[in-house]
Amino acid sequence: MAELRLARENDPNVTATDLAMMERAIALASKAAAIGEVPVGAVVYKGDRIVAEASNNREATRDPVGHAELLAMSAAGKVLGDWRLTDCSLAVTLEPCPMCAGAMVNARLGRLIYGTDDPKAGACKTLFHIPTDERLNHRVTIIQGVLANQCRQQLREFFQQRRRQNKHAQKSRTA
């Protein structure tokens, strides 16, 4: 049975590998932010081996499904030669949206480890509970809150900078 867990310091369900993969996802998110993408990074791993990784690329590709989680899962399926990701974990910096959460169920993902909650689109705990919904044919084990402060701060800084840039651009247009 899948479950939702809040990661706490020294949580026995959060392994050193989980922490390393979340750190890698944070690094990927930083690269995304540097090119103007919302800083979300995702890593699919099996055991301690990275299978695939990605960061958001919607702005660069003009692709509405250019979410880090979808890109990483799609690449993982190709690497593994199977659409089923049952024995895989996915570390992502932000709670997945409904589209990504649904894809995780359909991919039969084994575990989801995420950093910070998403109060506007979170579909794993905040607004919806898609990966653990008993009505669906698969449930994903979820561990939330892994390196949450770092993930939250990364997003907060990105959006503060974006608001400053928008305000400056607006002043330039009206001057």
Side-chain angles (χ1 to χ4, degrees), residues 94-135:
L94 180 65
E95 178 183 5
C97 72
M99 176 174 64
C100 295
M104 290 171 193
V105 170
N106 286 319
R108 312 297 192 270
L109 184 69
R111 296 169 67 232
L112 167 65
I113 291 85
Y114 77 84
T116 190
D117 294 337
D118 184 348
K120 295 186 177 184
C124 299
K125 171 202 166 260
T126 307
L127 299 177
F128 306 103
H129 302 272
I130 293 171
T132 56
D133 191 319
E134 297 279 333
R135 298 168 295 179

Side-chain angles (χ1 to χ4, degrees), residues 2 13 17 27 43 45-46 54 56 61 64 69 72-73 80 87 92 102 106 113 117 130 135 138 154 163:
N13 294 300
T17 299
V43 179
Y45 55 104
K46 191 171 183 176
N56 277 2
T61 62
E69 305 96 304
M73 287 189 298
L80 296 171
D87 295 331
V92 63
N106 286 319
I113 291 85
D117 294 337
I130 293 171
R135 298 168 295 179
H138 177 76
Q154 190 176 46
R163 283 189 292 276

Side-chain angles (χ1 to χ4, degrees), residues 133-150:
D133 191 319
E134 297 279 333
R135 298 168 295 179
L136 299 174
N137 62 335
H138 177 76
R139 278 156 295 290
V140 179
T141 297
I142 301 171
I143 301 173
Q144 69 179 91
V146 176
L147 302 180
N149 290 337
Q150 287 175 255

